[in-house]
């Protein structure tokens, strides 16, 4: 993680994400622009929550870890997304771990400045309300998606979420996104059944499986199988 001291870039990211009105003049000096490299941990489950982060560029993975050390990927997020909002309201430690799976820019502000300058600023409170209620809506859709759709549909949607476009193909070559145990947990299936579906997709010419990554050969066909993309909604 690096602090980026570039006022013009900060202003550009605020404007391009249409959130410049969320922060009034008293709070603006306390906004900090951060850059995370691919694979960097933004925050860790169980640690004290101190910062509100707004994802303004890039993609992140959100996951939780059980007491036995078993990881469960919950979702992938692209802008505009907020990390630390529920913890800010509830005063709880961090609920989940957040990891950058691409180059990521986030705007951060410490809770103490939010409490001092933002508690009675309606645009900020309305922004947080919209973000939190959207999370509950997406969570409801996600649970329905995993219950009602076969693994083929869930895997296709997942692959489209973590892939990056390279000419006419998409490649999931990112180690932070390619872990079959994590994928199986996210999709609510077994490791063995996941392998069977990957083999089926390979035989149908949708993907090619290589050591450490999957190459998507037919994006259009995979999109038709997915029929939607709940993991990135």
């Amino acid at each position: 993680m690096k602090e980026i001291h570039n006022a013009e870039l900060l202003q550009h990211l605020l404007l391009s994400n249409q959130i410049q009105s969320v922060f009034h003049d008293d709070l603006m000096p306390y906004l900090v622009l951060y850059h995370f490299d691919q694979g960097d941990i933004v925050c860790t489950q169980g640690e004290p929550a101190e910062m509100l982060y707004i994802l303004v560029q890039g993609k992140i993975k959100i996951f939780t870890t059980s007491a036995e050390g078993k990881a469960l990927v919950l979702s992938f997020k692209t802008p505009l997304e907020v990390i630390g909002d529920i913890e800010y309201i509830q005063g709880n430690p961090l609920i989940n771990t957040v990891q950058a799976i691409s180059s990521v820019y986030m705007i951060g502000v410490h809770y103490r400045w939010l409490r001092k300058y933002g508690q009675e600023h309606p645009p900020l409170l309305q922004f947080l309300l919209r973000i939190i209620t959207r999370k509950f809506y997406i969570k409801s859709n996600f649970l329905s998606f995993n219950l009602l759709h076969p693994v083929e549909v869930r895997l296709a949607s997942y692959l489209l979420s973590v892939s990056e476009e390279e000419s006419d193909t998409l490649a999931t070559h990112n180690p932070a996104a390619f872990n079959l145990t994590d994928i199986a947990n996210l999709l609510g299936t077994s490791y063995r059944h996941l392998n069977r579906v990957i083999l089926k997709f390979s035989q149908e010419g949708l993907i090619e499986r290589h050591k450490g990554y999957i190459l998507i050969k037919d994006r259009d066909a995979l999109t038709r199988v997915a029929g939607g993309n709940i993991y990135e909604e």
Side-chain angles (χ1 to χ4, degrees), residues 155 192-207 209 214:
L155 177 60
R192 180 176 296 179
H193 186 51
L194 176 63
N195 270 310
R196 285 198 293 266
V197 177
I198 290 175
L199 177 60
K200 176 185 175 185
F201 281 4
S202 298
Q203 293 171 340
E204 293 174 349
L206 276 64
I207 64 174
R209 181 175 179 175
I214 289 176

Side-chain angles (χ1 to χ4, degrees), residues 47-111:
E47 291 185 350
E50 299 178 338
M51 297 284 293
L52 184 82
Y53 290 107
I54 302 175
L55 175 65
V56 289
Q57 187 172 307
K59 186 181 291 186
I60 57 175
K61 176 174 77 171
I62 300 175
F63 63 96
T64 187
T65 306
S66 70
E68 296 77 25
K70 185 177 181 180
L72 174 63
V73 179
L74 302 176
S75 60
F76 297 87
K77 298 294 182 181
T78 53
L80 189 68
E81 186 56 49
V82 176
I83 303 299
D85 47 349
I86 295 175
E87 290 86 347
Y88 170 65
I89 299 297
Q90 295 290 331
N92 295 331
L94 290 161
I95 301 170
N96 301 309
T97 298
V98 178
Q99 182 180 29
I101 62 169
S102 70
S103 175
V104 162
Y105 282 96
M106 287 193 174
I107 296 172
V109 57
H110 199 282
Y111 287 170

Side-chain angles (χ1 to χ4, degrees), residues 148-171:
L148 299 175
H149 292 81
V151 175
E152 288 82 356
V153 173
R154 288 178 257 163
L155 177 60
S157 181
Y158 172 87
L159 291 174
L160 292 171
S161 291
V162 301
S163 56
E164 298 176 7
E165 192 163 2
E166 294 183 349
S167 63
D168 294 328
T169 64
L170 297 176

Side-chain angles (χ1 to χ4, degrees), residues 93-141:
L94 290 161
I95 301 170
N96 301 309
T97 298
V98 178
Q99 182 180 29
I101 62 169
S102 70
S103 175
V104 162
Y105 282 96
M106 287 193 174
I107 296 172
V109 57
H110 199 282
Y111 287 170
R112 66 174 175 268
W113 304 124
L114 287 176
R115 295 188 182 103
K116 185 172 183 178
Y117 297 114
Q119 292 280 54
E120 299 185 17
H121 183 51
L124 175 61
L125 299 178
Q126 291 168 5
F127 172 71
L128 292 176
L129 179 62
R130 288 196 303 271
I131 290 291
I132 292 172
T133 53
R134 189 188 69 183
K135 286 182 178 181
F136 283 113
Y137 174 78
I138 291 174
K139 182 66 174 179
S140 176
N141 279 357

